[in-house]
Amino acid sequence: FDPLDESTGSGRDRYFPVALAAQAGEATLHVTDRISMTSTLLPNSNLLARFWDKPQHTRIVSTQVIPTDTLDHVLEESGILLDAIKIDVQG
């Protein structure tokens, strides 16, 4: 589940261009200088100021409105029976 990933996956991997949320809708994605720190949450500037490289990594370079949906709905729509899911989140 990655609203910025345009891949559809291959083999057993599947990618969905949506952010998971409590309900279907939209959210604002804050795209940062370091793409891996991109989030729907705003960076905690006071906390990150303590680290020499984090303030520049978390500088917001753009925002995008992205679709959101629930995990249950996406799985139902795609016909997937889920055994496990790997989660990599920021924030």
Side-chain angles (χ1 to χ4, degrees):
F1 301 91
D2 188 340
L4 298 180
D5 194 334
E6 297 179 6
S7 173
T8 57
S10 62
R12 66 183 184 161
D13 296 329
R14 297 276 307 271
Y15 294 86
F16 299 93
V18 45
L20 293 180
Q23 62 189 23
E26 295 180 334
T28 300
L29 188 66
H30 306 283
V31 181
T32 56
D33 232 0
R34 185 172 183 177
I35 197 74
S36 65
M37 298 189 85
T38 294
S39 178
T40 57
L41 303 173
L42 289 170
N44 183 335
S45 300
N46 291 334
L47 173 69
L48 296 170
R50 300 177 192 174
F51 304 95
W52 70 271
D53 61 344
K54 296 306 179 211
Q56 76 183 48
H57 288 172
T58 58
R59 184 177 63 85
I60 297 171
V61 295
S62 68
T63 59
Q64 291 179 292
V65 175
I66 57 167
T68 64
D69 208 342
T70 66
L71 177 61
D72 290 340
H73 183 252
V74 173
L75 295 178
E76 182 181 316
E77 288 290 308
S78 61
I80 294 175
L81 298 174
L82 188 65
D83 291 323
I85 187 170
K86 178 187 179 291
I87 300 173
D88 180 14
V89 297
Q90 287 77 37

PDB file of all heavy atoms in Angstrom, residues 58-84:
ATOM      1  N   THR A  58      13.385  16.045   6.524  1.00  0.00           N
ATOM      2  CA  THR A  58      11.938  16.145   6.701  1.00  0.00           C
ATOM      3  C   THR A  58      11.361  17.450   6.156  1.00  0.00           C
ATOM      4  O   THR A  58      10.192  17.744   6.386  1.00  0.00           O
ATOM      5  CB  THR A  58      11.564  15.989   8.184  1.00  0.00           C
ATOM      6  OG1 THR A  58      12.237  16.992   8.940  1.00  0.00           O
ATOM      7  CG2 THR A  58      11.944  14.615   8.695  1.00  0.00           C
ATOM      8  N   ARG A  59      12.163  18.190   5.417  1.00  0.00           N
ATOM      9  CA  ARG A  59      11.647  19.414   4.785  1.00  0.00           C
ATOM     10  C   ARG A  59      10.585  19.011   3.771  1.00  0.00           C
ATOM     11  O   ARG A  59      10.820  18.175   2.905  1.00  0.00           O
ATOM     12  CB  ARG A  59      12.784  20.176   4.099  1.00  0.00           C
ATOM     13  CG  ARG A  59      12.364  21.514   3.506  1.00  0.00           C
ATOM     14  CD  ARG A  59      13.564  22.242   2.904  1.00  0.00           C
ATOM     15  NE  ARG A  59      14.156  21.527   1.791  1.00  0.00           N
ATOM     16  CZ  ARG A  59      13.736  21.601   0.519  1.00  0.00           C
ATOM     17  NH1 ARG A  59      12.718  22.373   0.216  1.00  0.00           N
ATOM     18  NH2 ARG A  59      14.341  20.920  -0.431  1.00  0.00           N
ATOM     19  N   ILE A  60       9.407  19.578   3.886  1.00  0.00           N
ATOM     20  CA  ILE A  60       8.308  19.248   2.977  1.00  0.00           C
ATOM     21  C   ILE A  60       8.546  19.946   1.642  1.00  0.00           C
ATOM     22  O   ILE A  60       8.676  21.164   1.584  1.00  0.00           O
ATOM     23  CB  ILE A  60       6.955  19.651   3.587  1.00  0.00           C
ATOM     24  CG1 ILE A  60       6.721  18.836   4.855  1.00  0.00           C
ATOM     25  CG2 ILE A  60       5.826  19.450   2.584  1.00  0.00           C
ATOM     26  CD1 ILE A  60       5.544  19.274   5.669  1.00  0.00           C
ATOM     27  N   VAL A  61       8.616  19.146   0.583  1.00  0.00           N
ATOM     28  CA  VAL A  61       8.869  19.686  -0.750  1.00  0.00           C
ATOM     29  C   VAL A  61       7.591  19.794  -1.579  1.00  0.00           C
ATOM     30  O   VAL A  61       7.545  20.546  -2.541  1.00  0.00           O
ATOM     31  CB  VAL A  61       9.934  18.867  -1.506  1.00  0.00           C
ATOM     32  CG1 VAL A  61      11.284  18.977  -0.803  1.00  0.00           C
ATOM     33  CG2 VAL A  61       9.540  17.416  -1.658  1.00  0.00           C
ATOM     34  N   SER A  62       6.577  19.033  -1.195  1.00  0.00           N
ATOM     35  CA  SER A  62       5.284  19.133  -1.881  1.00  0.00           C
ATOM     36  C   SER A  62       4.233  18.412  -1.055  1.00  0.00           C
ATOM     37  O   SER A  62       4.556  17.674  -0.117  1.00  0.00           O
ATOM     38  CB  SER A  62       5.346  18.527  -3.289  1.00  0.00           C
ATOM     39  OG  SER A  62       5.522  17.128  -3.229  1.00  0.00           O
ATOM     40  N   THR A  63       2.997  18.659  -1.396  1.00  0.00           N
ATOM     41  CA  THR A  63       1.888  17.919  -0.790  1.00  0.00           C
ATOM     42  C   THR A  63       1.027  17.370  -1.913  1.00  0.00           C
ATOM     43  O   THR A  63       0.962  17.953  -3.006  1.00  0.00           O
ATOM     44  CB  THR A  63       1.037  18.797   0.146  1.00  0.00           C
ATOM     45  OG1 THR A  63       0.524  19.895  -0.599  1.00  0.00           O
ATOM     46  CG2 THR A  63       1.824  19.299   1.329  1.00  0.00           C
ATOM     47  N   GLN A  64       0.408  16.245  -1.634  1.00  0.00           N
ATOM     48  CA  GLN A  64      -0.487  15.615  -2.600  1.00  0.00           C
ATOM     49  C   GLN A  64      -1.716  15.121  -1.864  1.00  0.00           C
ATOM     50  O   GLN A  64      -1.614  14.614  -0.746  1.00  0.00           O
ATOM     51  CB  GLN A  64       0.162  14.407  -3.267  1.00  0.00           C
ATOM     52  CG  GLN A  64       1.292  14.720  -4.193  1.00  0.00           C
ATOM     53  CD  GLN A  64       1.869  13.441  -4.784  1.00  0.00           C
ATOM     54  OE1 GLN A  64       2.464  12.652  -4.082  1.00  0.00           O
ATOM     55  NE2 GLN A  64       1.679  13.252  -6.067  1.00  0.00           N
ATOM     56  N   VAL A  65      -2.859  15.242  -2.501  1.00  0.00           N
ATOM     57  CA  VAL A  65      -4.066  14.624  -1.969  1.00  0.00           C
ATOM     58  C   VAL A  65      -4.091  13.205  -2.522  1.00  0.00           C
ATOM     59  O   VAL A  65      -3.968  13.003  -3.735  1.00  0.00           O
ATOM     60  CB  VAL A  65      -5.335  15.412  -2.374  1.00  0.00           C
ATOM     61  CG1 VAL A  65      -6.581  14.690  -1.906  1.00  0.00           C
ATOM     62  CG2 VAL A  65      -5.275  16.827  -1.801  1.00  0.00           C
ATOM     63  N   ILE A  66      -4.191  12.233  -1.626  1.00  0.00           N
ATOM     64  CA  ILE A  66      -4.123  10.825  -2.014  1.00  0.00           C
ATOM     65  C   ILE A  66      -5.376  10.091  -1.571  1.00  0.00           C
ATOM     66  O   ILE A  66      -6.033  10.492  -0.611  1.00  0.00           O
ATOM     67  CB  ILE A  66      -2.883  10.142  -1.394  1.00  0.00           C
ATOM     68  CG1 ILE A  66      -2.907  10.287   0.132  1.00  0.00           C
ATOM     69  CG2 ILE A  66      -1.602  10.710  -1.987  1.00  0.00           C
ATOM     70  CD1 ILE A  66      -1.934   9.422   0.861  1.00  0.00           C
ATOM     71  N   PRO A  67      -5.720   9.003  -2.264  1.00  0.00           N
ATOM     72  CA  PRO A  67      -6.879   8.213  -1.843  1.00  0.00           C
ATOM     73  C   PRO A  67      -6.541   7.360  -0.628  1.00  0.00           C
ATOM     74  O   PRO A  67      -5.403   6.909  -0.463  1.00  0.00           O
ATOM     75  CB  PRO A  67      -7.174   7.336  -3.061  1.00  0.00           C
ATOM     76  CG  PRO A  67      -5.856   7.204  -3.755  1.00  0.00           C
ATOM     77  CD  PRO A  67      -5.129   8.497  -3.496  1.00  0.00           C
ATOM     78  N   THR A  68      -7.526   7.164   0.242  1.00  0.00           N
ATOM     79  CA  THR A  68      -7.384   6.262   1.376  1.00  0.00           C
ATOM     80  C   THR A  68      -8.492   5.219   1.310  1.00  0.00           C
ATOM     81  O   THR A  68      -9.546   5.441   0.712  1.00  0.00           O
ATOM     82  CB  THR A  68      -7.488   6.999   2.729  1.00  0.00           C
ATOM     83  OG1 THR A  68      -8.792   7.558   2.862  1.00  0.00           O
ATOM     84  CG2 THR A  68      -6.442   8.085   2.841  1.00  0.00           C
ATOM     85  N   ASP A  69      -8.231   4.088   1.918  1.00  0.00           N
ATOM     86  CA  ASP A  69      -9.238   3.032   1.993  1.00  0.00           C
ATOM     87  C   ASP A  69      -8.904   2.138   3.171  1.00  0.00           C
ATOM     88  O   ASP A  69      -7.802   2.205   3.715  1.00  0.00           O
ATOM     89  CB  ASP A  69      -9.277   2.217   0.692  1.00  0.00           C
ATOM     90  CG  ASP A  69     -10.640   1.614   0.425  1.00  0.00           C
ATOM     91  OD1 ASP A  69     -11.466   1.505   1.360  1.00  0.00           O
ATOM     92  OD2 ASP A  69     -10.904   1.234  -0.730  1.00  0.00           O
ATOM     93  N   THR A  70      -9.837   1.288   3.543  1.00  0.00           N
ATOM     94  CA  THR A  70      -9.587   0.358   4.633  1.00  0.00           C
ATOM     95  C   THR A  70      -8.948  -0.909   4.079  1.00  0.00           C
ATOM     96  O   THR A  70      -9.173  -1.279   2.927  1.00  0.00           O
ATOM     97  CB  THR A  70     -10.883  -0.019   5.360  1.00  0.00           C
ATOM     98  OG1 THR A  70     -11.728  -0.759   4.475  1.00  0.00           O
ATOM     99  CG2 THR A  70     -11.617   1.220   5.886  1.00  0.00           C
ATOM    100  N   LEU A  71      -8.184  -1.581   4.902  1.00  0.00           N
ATOM    101  CA  LEU A  71      -7.564  -2.840   4.509  1.00  0.00           C
ATOM    102  C   LEU A  71      -8.644  -3.856   4.140  1.00  0.00           C
ATOM    103  O   LEU A  71      -8.539  -4.534   3.118  1.00  0.00           O
ATOM    104  CB  LEU A  71      -6.683  -3.373   5.634  1.00  0.00           C
ATOM    105  CG  LEU A  71      -6.017  -4.725   5.388  1.00  0.00           C
ATOM    106  CD1 LEU A  71      -5.097  -4.673   4.175  1.00  0.00           C
ATOM    107  CD2 LEU A  71      -5.258  -5.168   6.626  1.00  0.00           C
ATOM    108  N   ASP A  72      -9.681  -3.943   4.940  1.00  0.00           N
ATOM    109  CA  ASP A  72     -10.758  -4.903   4.667  1.00  0.00           C
ATOM    110  C   ASP A  72     -11.379  -4.682   3.294  1.00  0.00           C
ATOM    111  O   ASP A  72     -11.605  -5.630   2.546  1.00  0.00           O
ATOM    112  CB  ASP A  72     -11.849  -4.828   5.737  1.00  0.00           C
ATOM    113  CG  ASP A  72     -11.393  -5.354   7.088  1.00  0.00           C
ATOM    114  OD1 ASP A  72     -10.407  -6.114   7.126  1.00  0.00           O
ATOM    115  OD2 ASP A  72     -12.027  -5.003   8.096  1.00  0.00           O
ATOM    116  N   HIS A  73     -11.649  -3.434   2.939  1.00  0.00           N
ATOM    117  CA  HIS A  73     -12.284  -3.140   1.653  1.00  0.00           C
ATOM    118  C   HIS A  73     -11.362  -3.466   0.481  1.00  0.00           C
ATOM    119  O   HIS A  73     -11.794  -4.051  -0.516  1.00  0.00           O
ATOM    120  CB  HIS A  73     -12.727  -1.677   1.595  1.00  0.00           C
ATOM    121  CG  HIS A  73     -13.449  -1.353   0.329  1.00  0.00           C
ATOM    122  ND1 HIS A  73     -12.889  -0.583  -0.665  1.00  0.00           N
ATOM    123  CD2 HIS A  73     -14.684  -1.727  -0.116  1.00  0.00           C
ATOM    124  CE1 HIS A  73     -13.742  -0.486  -1.664  1.00  0.00           C
ATOM    125  NE2 HIS A  73     -14.834  -1.166  -1.363  1.00  0.00           N
ATOM    126  N   VAL A  74     -10.089  -3.076   0.573  1.00  0.00           N
ATOM    127  CA  VAL A  74      -9.146  -3.348  -0.514  1.00  0.00           C
ATOM    128  C   VAL A  74      -9.002  -4.852  -0.731  1.00  0.00           C
ATOM    129  O   VAL A  74      -9.015  -5.333  -1.869  1.00  0.00           O
ATOM    130  CB  VAL A  74      -7.765  -2.699  -0.242  1.00  0.00           C
ATOM    131  CG1 VAL A  74      -6.747  -3.122  -1.283  1.00  0.00           C
ATOM    132  CG2 VAL A  74      -7.883  -1.179  -0.215  1.00  0.00           C
ATOM    133  N   LEU A  75      -8.885  -5.611   0.352  1.00  0.00           N
ATOM    134  CA  LEU A  75      -8.755  -7.060   0.225  1.00  0.00           C
ATOM    135  C   LEU A  75     -10.012  -7.681  -0.367  1.00  0.00           C
ATOM    136  O   LEU A  75      -9.939  -8.557  -1.231  1.00  0.00           O
ATOM    137  CB  LEU A  75      -8.439  -7.687   1.585  1.00  0.00           C
ATOM    138  CG  LEU A  75      -7.089  -7.310   2.195  1.00  0.00           C
ATOM    139  CD1 LEU A  75      -6.931  -7.952   3.563  1.00  0.00           C
ATOM    140  CD2 LEU A  75      -5.940  -7.675   1.282  1.00  0.00           C
ATOM    141  N   GLU A  76     -11.171  -7.239   0.078  1.00  0.00           N
ATOM    142  CA  GLU A  76     -12.434  -7.756  -0.455  1.00  0.00           C
ATOM    143  C   GLU A  76     -12.564  -7.462  -1.948  1.00  0.00           C
ATOM    144  O   GLU A  76     -12.913  -8.343  -2.733  1.00  0.00           O
ATOM    145  CB  GLU A  76     -13.611  -7.132   0.299  1.00  0.00           C
ATOM    146  CG  GLU A  76     -14.962  -7.642  -0.140  1.00  0.00           C
ATOM    147  CD  GLU A  76     -16.086  -6.969   0.620  1.00  0.00           C
ATOM    148  OE1 GLU A  76     -15.975  -6.829   1.852  1.00  0.00           O
ATOM    149  OE2 GLU A  76     -17.074  -6.573  -0.028  1.00  0.00           O
ATOM    150  N   GLU A  77     -12.258  -6.231  -2.351  1.00  0.00           N
ATOM    151  CA  GLU A  77     -12.363  -5.833  -3.758  1.00  0.00           C
ATOM    152  C   GLU A  77     -11.381  -6.598  -4.648  1.00  0.00           C
ATOM    153  O   GLU A  77     -11.679  -6.866  -5.812  1.00  0.00           O
ATOM    154  CB  GLU A  77     -12.109  -4.332  -3.909  1.00  0.00           C
ATOM    155  CG  GLU A  77     -13.231  -3.470  -3.393  1.00  0.00           C
ATOM    156  CD  GLU A  77     -14.466  -3.557  -4.276  1.00  0.00           C
ATOM    157  OE1 GLU A  77     -14.351  -3.362  -5.498  1.00  0.00           O
ATOM    158  OE2 GLU A  77     -15.554  -3.827  -3.720  1.00  0.00           O
ATOM    159  N   SER A  78     -10.221  -6.941  -4.126  1.00  0.00           N
ATOM    160  CA  SER A  78      -9.210  -7.619  -4.935  1.00  0.00           C
ATOM    161  C   SER A  78      -9.274  -9.141  -4.801  1.00  0.00           C
ATOM    162  O   SER A  78      -8.523  -9.843  -5.483  1.00  0.00           O
ATOM    163  CB  SER A  78      -7.813  -7.121  -4.566  1.00  0.00           C
ATOM    164  OG  SER A  78      -7.541  -7.398  -3.215  1.00  0.00           O
ATOM    165  N   GLY A  79     -10.136  -9.643  -3.940  1.00  0.00           N
ATOM    166  CA  GLY A  79     -10.283 -11.086  -3.786  1.00  0.00           C
ATOM    167  C   GLY A  79      -9.119 -11.755  -3.080  1.00  0.00           C
ATOM    168  O   GLY A  79      -8.885 -12.946  -3.248  1.00  0.00           O
ATOM    169  N   ILE A  80      -8.412 -11.008  -2.260  1.00  0.00           N
ATOM    170  CA  ILE A  80      -7.247 -11.547  -1.557  1.00  0.00           C
ATOM    171  C   ILE A  80      -7.655 -12.050  -0.177  1.00  0.00           C
ATOM    172  O   ILE A  80      -8.338 -11.361   0.576  1.00  0.00           O
ATOM    173  CB  ILE A  80      -6.151 -10.481  -1.415  1.00  0.00           C
ATOM    174  CG1 ILE A  80      -5.606 -10.102  -2.790  1.00  0.00           C
ATOM    175  CG2 ILE A  80      -5.032 -10.964  -0.502  1.00  0.00           C
ATOM    176  CD1 ILE A  80      -4.602  -8.971  -2.760  1.00  0.00           C
ATOM    177  N   LEU A  81      -7.211 -13.268   0.138  1.00  0.00           N
ATOM    178  CA  LEU A  81      -7.329 -13.795   1.493  1.00  0.00           C
ATOM    179  C   LEU A  81      -5.959 -13.635   2.133  1.00  0.00           C
ATOM    180  O   LEU A  81      -4.990 -14.254   1.710  1.00  0.00           O
ATOM    181  CB  LEU A  81      -7.748 -15.263   1.474  1.00  0.00           C
ATOM    182  CG  LEU A  81      -9.113 -15.541   0.850  1.00  0.00           C
ATOM    183  CD1 LEU A  81      -9.360 -17.029   0.747  1.00  0.00           C
ATOM    184  CD2 LEU A  81     -10.209 -14.862   1.652  1.00  0.00           C
ATOM    185  N   LEU A  82      -5.873 -12.800   3.132  1.00  0.00           N
ATOM    186  CA  LEU A  82      -4.593 -12.404   3.704  1.00  0.00           C
ATOM    187  C   LEU A  82      -4.146 -13.347   4.809  1.00  0.00           C
ATOM    188  O   LEU A  82      -4.906 -13.658   5.722  1.00  0.00           O
ATOM    189  CB  LEU A  82      -4.711 -10.981   4.259  1.00  0.00           C
ATOM    190  CG  LEU A  82      -3.445 -10.310   4.729  1.00  0.00           C
ATOM    191  CD1 LEU A  82      -2.496 -10.086   3.571  1.00  0.00           C
ATOM    192  CD2 LEU A  82      -3.766  -8.992   5.389  1.00  0.00           C
ATOM    193  N   ASP A  83      -2.905 -13.823   4.701  1.00  0.00           N
ATOM    194  CA  ASP A  83      -2.291 -14.627   5.754  1.00  0.00           C
ATOM    195  C   ASP A  83      -1.367 -13.781   6.619  1.00  0.00           C
ATOM    196  O   ASP A  83      -1.284 -13.968   7.832  1.00  0.00           O
ATOM    197  CB  ASP A  83      -1.464 -15.762   5.157  1.00  0.00           C
ATOM    198  CG  ASP A  83      -2.327 -16.823   4.486  1.00  0.00           C
ATOM    199  OD1 ASP A  83      -3.416 -17.114   5.000  1.00  0.00           O
ATOM    200  OD2 ASP A  83      -1.902 -17.336   3.436  1.00  0.00           O
ATOM    201  N   ALA A  84      -0.633 -12.876   5.977  1.00  0.00           N
ATOM    202  CA  ALA A  84       0.323 -12.026   6.700  1.00  0.00           C
ATOM    203  C   ALA A  84       0.513 -10.745   5.917  1.00  0.00           C
ATOM    204  O   ALA A  84       0.273 -10.688   4.721  1.00  0.00           O
ATOM    205  CB  ALA A  84       1.666 -12.744   6.836  1.00  0.00           C
TER     206      ALA A  84
END
